[in-house]
Amino acid sequence: MPTSRNRHERAFLIGLDYRPQRKPWKHVKPVSVPRMARDSSVARAGENAPSDFSAQDSMTELRELATSAGAEVVGEFIQSREKPDPATLIGRGKLEEIAGAAASAHADLVIFDHDLSPSQQRNIEDEVSVRVIDRTQLILDIFARHARTREGQLQVELAQLEYLLPRLTGRGIEMSQIAGTAAGGRGPIGTRGPGETQLETDRRKIFQRIRDIKQRVEKVRRTRAQQRQRRESAPVATVALVGYTNAGKSTLFNALTRASVLESPSLFATLDPTIRAVQLPSRRKVLVSDTVGFIRNLPHTLVTSFRATLEEVQRAALLLEVSDVTSPVAAEQNAQVEKVLRELEAQDKPRLRVMNKVDLLPASRRDALEDDATTVHVSAVKGTGISVLLDRIDEALQEDPLSRVKLRVPQREGKALAILEGQARIFSREYRNGFVELNAQVPQSVLRKVRSFVQD
Ligand SMILES: Nc1nc2c(ncn2[C@@H]2O[C@H](COP(=O)(O)OP(=O)(O)O)[C@@H](O)[C@H]2O)c(=O)[nH]1
Ligand SMILES: [Mg+2]
């Protein structure tokens, strides 16, 4: 069913809360914490996972994910049960209730904060008469929207196809719904994908498409490995952005690369839009790498593919751990990020904590925030704190260390002077008897080229 492009789809959210009857105190409804009321900025990384991520917390996250997928949330409902109903997950009675509520809210789709088996999805859809998607489909959709690399787009399409395959049997899913739209497509939520071929309701064709995509992914990956080899031939450190989905990594990536325009020498002219060269205040260059895939219960169809793209994290000299200061579930999100970093064996890398979205805090809270050597508060959207962050990155990078030196360069040494002007931070320059005397901070890699001009 085509949806208007200008209208947000109206989504009705369903959460589930399984509670064993044994522990009656668990029935106490968690007090809902108003957004921003909790000081998440003091939550530290590396702390153990908080034990109970409540159904409410999970719902808060689902709401954010749905919004991020372009939906307007028009209603929500948390069903408490002892255990899931095999046929409908939440029970026939509840379903009728939800069908009524969804209809009166004019919902276009119902999103379950839970994975649905193909038959549960069918049964529920029959009852509520609007489209029903689950958390996995929602995440696939968000990733499809945000996939910026060819590889990422292919991988999301692959995951979508693998997800749909078991759901094809016995019922003609409108295959035109999926993967037929262009990257960042505009189909209904849960059905968008970066694909390029109109698919038909034919398993054989889907299998063929899956094989085809796998081959392309392999090809893209080889190209990427070649590019990386070229990059690694130069002594340039990588700074990787990590952090929970929606923390603002990609927005920060753009803010950082905008803040320090660097005309890309061919070495950095990479096809991969998630890696960009950035020049730090010291004039050292770094590669900044954006990542995806940090989310609780990453759909299993996406795990392998996205872990593969996290290779940049493993190679990084420095991690920027981005958090959303307004997130009421920051501790759980940090724990998830920590878990992924441990899996990547990247947990001990040098890190800076970037607390993002400070523009959303009330002014009084914002004024009370203080940066320190390892924590920087920023608004990626407004651009506040970005220059401080660039300074901190400079200080934190141990690779290609900086030295403060005095140089005396003959004026005719145009090449050496150009190198210094372009790649060092110059504090003073004086012209004397055909020489230029410079007071500068010079990265080691640059110092090598101008060593003969260094004084004492
Ligand atoms: N108000 C505000 N919103 C932000 C900021 N940074 C990112 N966002 C929003 O948060 C959402 C997620 O951002 P995105 O960069 O895609 O997050 P990612 O999943 O970590 O890459 C988007 O809607 C952004 O516009 C910020 O500093 N302030
Ligand atoms: Mg992103």
Side-chain angles (χ1 to χ4, degrees):
M1 198 196 301
T3 36
S4 157
R5 292 183 172 197
N6 300 320
R7 193 174 72 88
H8 288 294
E9 279 180 273
R10 299 169 64 85
F12 198 95
L13 311 182
I14 312 287
L16 267 111
D17 193 7
Y18 298 127
R19 298 153 180 226
Q21 291 291 343
R22 290 285 174 75
K23 298 178 183 164
W25 60 87
K26 278 247 171 184
H27 282 267
V28 176
K29 198 179 166 194
V31 180
S32 88
V33 181
R35 216 174 142 79
M36 280 169 260
R38 247 193 251 174
D39 191 357
S40 55
S41 65
V42 295
R44 269 156 311 193
E47 279 175 350
N48 282 336
S51 50
D52 51 1
F53 186 63
S54 71
Q56 292 283 348
D57 289 342
S58 192
M59 193 57 129
T60 303
E61 176 175 296
L62 189 71
R63 207 180 297 132
E64 280 177 12
L65 293 176
T67 310
S68 164
E72 180 193 348
V73 175
V74 294
E76 52 187 66
F77 183 87
I78 293 182
Q79 157 77 327
S80 305
R81 284 182 70 90
E82 257 187 83
K83 56 180 186 348
D85 177 67
T88 63
L89 197 72
I90 59 171
R92 295 263 174 213
K94 271 294 161 226
L95 259 191
E96 268 173 43
E97 214 176 288
I98 286 164
S104 66
H106 302 289
D108 304 302
L109 84 162
V110 172
I111 306 176
F112 275 75
D113 189 20
H114 205 275
D115 283 343
L116 299 171
S117 71
S119 69
Q120 284 172 340
Q121 191 167 9
R122 242 177 355 251
N123 293 338
I124 297 170
E125 225 157 46
D126 287 345
E127 191 69 48
V128 302
S129 324
V130 289
R131 215 150 39 81
V132 171
I133 67 171
D134 64 11
R135 189 172 179 278
T136 293
Q137 273 173 295
L138 181 62
I139 290 171
L140 288 176
D141 189 275
I142 292 169
F143 281 23
R145 273 190 145 197
H146 291 145
R148 282 185 291 148
T149 62
R150 188 70 193 121
E151 186 182 6
Q153 289 163 1
L154 289 168
Q155 272 163 345
V156 177
E157 186 181 350
L158 193 60
Q160 286 177 320
L161 291 172
E162 284 172 351
Y163 184 84
L164 269 169
L165 213 43
R167 287 166 167 77
L168 283 175
T169 43
R171 161 188 270 222
I173 284 195
E174 288 171 58
M175 289 303 296
S176 59
Q177 280 186 357
I178 70 142
T181 44
R186 297 175 184 272
I189 292 168
T191 67
R192 286 181 290 232
E196 50 191 19
T197 317
Q198 196 81 3
L199 290 163
E200 302 166 32
T201 50
D202 183 349
R203 294 171 67 88
R204 197 176 49 80
K205 285 207 169 141
I206 292 179
F207 276 124
Q208 209 166 5
R209 177 75 185 147
I210 287 176
R211 265 198 308 277
D212 178 47
I213 293 177
K214 283 183 173 161
Q215 273 168 11
R216 286 180 195 218
V217 167
E218 203 35 58
K219 213 169 135 197
V220 174
R221 210 171 258 168
R222 274 200 301 274
T223 314
R224 212 159 48 101
Q226 283 162 6
Q227 287 177 344
R228 185 183 294 126
Q229 249 171 16
R230 283 174 63 204
R231 285 204 311 268
E232 285 181 352
S233 63
V236 181
T238 299
V239 176
L241 291 162
V242 299
Y244 206 75
T245 294
N246 243 16
K249 296 180 294 299
S250 300
T251 312
L252 183 63
F253 176 79
N254 288 327
L256 283 172
T257 49
R258 246 199 329 271
S260 56
V261 194
L262 180 64
E263 73 315 332
S264 275
S266 61
L267 186 62
F268 302 121
T270 158
L271 292 174
D272 187 342
T274 65
I275 298 180
R276 255 180 246 157
V278 162
Q279 191 160 41
L280 298 172
S282 66
R283 301 285 180 91
R284 286 187 297 179
K285 292 183 192 87
V286 286
L287 295 173
V288 177
S289 160
D290 190 11
T291 64
V292 286
F294 291 84
I295 194 162
R296 189 173 56 92
N297 303 332
L298 182 69
H300 72 272
T301 42
L302 279 178
V303 171
T304 22
S305 50
F306 279 94
R307 293 295 137 92
T309 67
L310 292 173
E311 286 160 14
E312 298 298 339
V313 174
Q314 289 170 312
R315 284 160 204 272
L318 176 70
L319 304 181
L320 301 188
E321 190 182 0
V322 186
S323 310
D324 175 349
V325 278
T326 67
S327 171
V329 289
E332 157 77 12
Q333 294 178 339
N334 291 339
Q336 282 296 324
V337 172
E338 228 28 62
K339 190 171 147 220
V340 177
L341 290 179
R342 271 198 305 277
E343 283 165 22
L344 297 169
E345 295 181 359
Q347 75 273 28
D348 295 326
K349 289 196 184 269
R351 276 193 226 186
L352 283 175
R353 272 183 83 52
V354 183
M355 308 303 297
N356 187 32
K357 309 198 188 181
V358 295
D359 57 291
L360 295 176
L361 296 175
S364 57
R365 280 259 337 260
R366 206 165 46 227
D367 294 343
L369 298 173
E370 277 182 35
D371 293 342
D372 61 33
T374 56
T375 308
V376 185
H377 294 84
V378 305
S379 164
V381 157
K382 304 261 186 223
T384 41
I386 301 299
S387 61
V388 178
L389 178 58
L390 285 166
D391 278 334
R392 288 286 189 285
I393 295 173
D394 231 346
E395 289 159 18
L397 273 181
Q398 284 144 25
E399 261 149 62
D400 202 7
L402 304 168
S403 326
R404 184 79 182 248
V405 290
K406 283 186 180 140
L407 300 118
R408 192 158 177 269
V409 189
Q411 263 173 328
R412 62 169 187 279
E413 293 283 347
K415 197 170 162 217
L417 288 169
I419 288 175
L420 286 164
E421 294 291 341
Q423 300 173 47
R425 191 175 199 173
I426 295 172
F427 298 103
S428 70
R429 53 172 91 57
E430 278 176 52
Y431 299 86
R432 205 172 280 160
N433 310 327
F435 286 88
V436 188
E437 292 178 2
L438 300 159
N439 196 326
Q441 190 186 46
V442 189
Q444 204 155 61
S445 62
V446 176
L447 203 55
R448 253 180 265 131
K449 301 178 197 164
V450 294
R451 176 82 66 198
S452 56
F453 307 115
V454 176
Q455 300 282 278
D456 31 70

